[in-house]
Amino acid sequence: MSELVDRIRHDWKIADAKRDAGLVTPDCIARQDDIRYGSDATWQKLDIYRPKDAAGVLPVIVNVHGGAWVYGDKELYQFYSMDLARRGFAVVNFTYRLCPEFQFPAPVQDTDLVFRFIAAHAGEYGLDTERLFAVGDSAGAHLLGLYLCARADPGYAAAYPFEFEQTLSIKAAALNCGIYDTRLPDFPDKDLPLILKDFLPKGGSKEELELISVTPHVTAALPPLYVMTSTDDFLKDQAPPLVQALCDVNVPVSFRLYAAEDRKGGLYHTFHEDIRRKEAIACNDEECAFFKTFC
């Protein structure tokens, strides 16, 4: 494993633990943990959270976590995911295979396996497959974007070495602080090209960077999207071209650029995971309200 990946996993875990310090499972949430959705007992596991007082089937949000394709798991996203569940959803929060242990398209395939799990076990866990949504942030927004594009376009899906689940309909999705075009010659973070070399089987060839860019694969068949970023997000310039591409093919899209309320501390990348922050509460409220318009 590279020194860069070791550093990311070490430093980001410390920062995330500090952000979530003191958080516990809310009394109002029932959780079912460590459910296998694939054959790999280490990587392919998910949790399901839902309000305790909710009876019957609930609308579903699938969370695709971020972490630069090398970091993150469902444990690091449990409090954010449970916070979404408090708003009246069953939330599926899963771990997927990371780079460099696994390369593209492993996390996209794992995302598909999660939707296959939902299709097969919805009745068991009270999941309403007619009201199905998804969120992703940072690298998770990128992976979710690729997944949505592949489900919407058989021609693009043919580039993947597996078949995509097609019995379910994703009603809407939210892409948060994501990277959507890896073809750009200059990245705002010098580590991104280095990670992509490990992530991609051919080390980041022109063809690979085209394949894993979301923006050029946008089609009119995509579901409605909520796209958000923030004033101090280092990836904020990635959002407007994606939004324009969506508008060009008439995909319903809601675009939000969030700013810090107090104008002092700034509003940085994936701020919405800091669930005690006012701006995060507002963003997560608005995304869930967006989803509920399709329920």
Side-chain angles (χ1 to χ4, degrees):
M1 193 178 301
S2 72
E3 181 179 338
L4 172 60
V5 172
D6 283 341
R7 174 170 58 81
I8 289 174
R9 291 180 176 179
H10 176 269
D11 294 352
W12 291 10
K13 187 171 184 178
I14 291 174
D16 286 343
K18 181 178 180 181
R19 178 198 65 205
D20 292 340
L23 293 176
V24 297
T25 299
D27 290 338
C28 62
I29 294 296
R31 56 186 297 167
Q32 294 174 282
D33 297 343
D34 296 327
I35 304 165
R36 290 267 295 274
Y37 68 86
S39 59
D40 191 316
T42 300
W43 296 88
Q44 294 171 327
K45 296 186 294 186
L46 60 81
D47 297 345
I48 299 174
Y49 317 123
R50 50 183 291 144
K52 283 182 179 178
D53 61 357
V57 296
L58 291 177
V60 183
I61 298 176
V62 176
N63 176 51
V64 187
H65 74 73
W69 309 286
V70 304
Y71 166 78
D73 55 28
K74 62 185 179 64
E75 280 68 37
L76 290 166
Y77 276 72
Q78 60 180 314
F79 299 113
Y80 163 68
S81 296
M82 288 188 287
D83 194 56
L84 295 181
R86 288 195 310 105
R87 293 167 166 87
F89 294 86
V91 178
V92 179
N93 173 35
F94 70 101
T95 296
Y96 55 78
R97 289 172 291 171
L98 296 175
C99 161
E101 290 88 347
F102 301 91
Q103 292 181 305
F104 176 85
V108 181
Q109 185 173 27
D110 287 354
T111 302
D112 189 71
L113 288 173
V114 169
F115 281 94
R116 289 181 182 276
F117 173 90
I118 291 171
H121 299 280
E124 183 179 350
Y125 294 102
L127 308 178
D128 188 348
T129 57
E130 297 300 315
R131 296 182 291 168
L132 182 59
F133 307 96
V135 297
D137 67 90
S138 194
H142 168 256
L143 296 170
L144 178 57
L146 295 180
Y147 183 68
L148 295 173
C149 287
R151 286 178 60 95
D153 181 0
Y156 177 56
Y160 288 79
F162 57 90
E163 293 186 4
F164 286 82
E165 200 287 326
Q166 290 291 354
T167 67
L168 299 175
S169 174
I170 299 173
K171 297 299 183 183
L175 304 178
N176 301 316
C177 301
I179 180 168
Y180 310 113
D181 196 337
T182 59
R183 304 170 299 173
L184 301 178
D186 298 315
F187 286 103
D189 187 318
K190 66 182 187 330
D191 291 337
L192 281 174
L194 300 176
I195 296 170
L196 286 170
K197 287 183 178 180
D198 285 338
F199 181 53
L200 298 168
K202 296 181 181 178
S205 68
K206 180 179 178 180
E207 293 75 18
E208 285 179 318
L209 295 178
E210 174 79 20
L211 178 66
I212 70 161
S213 290
V214 178
T215 304
H217 299 293
V218 163
T219 67
L222 284 169
L225 292 173
Y226 192 104
V227 179
M228 80 84 172
T229 183
S230 59
T231 52
D232 302 288
D233 177 13
F234 75 101
L235 291 176
K236 67 179 180 181
D237 292 339
Q238 289 269 322
L242 173 67
V243 171
Q244 185 60 57
L246 293 166
C247 291
D248 287 345
V249 294
N250 297 315
V251 172
V253 59
S254 178
F255 175 52
R256 287 297 307 272
L257 174 68
Y258 288 88
E261 287 188 10
D262 60 11
R263 304 288 180 181
K264 294 180 181 179
L267 201 62
Y268 294 95
H269 187 61
T270 66
F271 71 92
H272 65 299
E273 296 166 26
D274 189 357
I275 61 172
R276 289 173 286 202
R277 184 164 182 162
K278 289 182 180 179
E279 297 89 349
I281 294 170
C283 174
N284 297 333
D285 280 347
E286 288 164 10
E287 287 193 359
C288 287
F290 177 77
F291 290 158
K292 287 178 180 179
T293 64
F294 301 98
C295 285

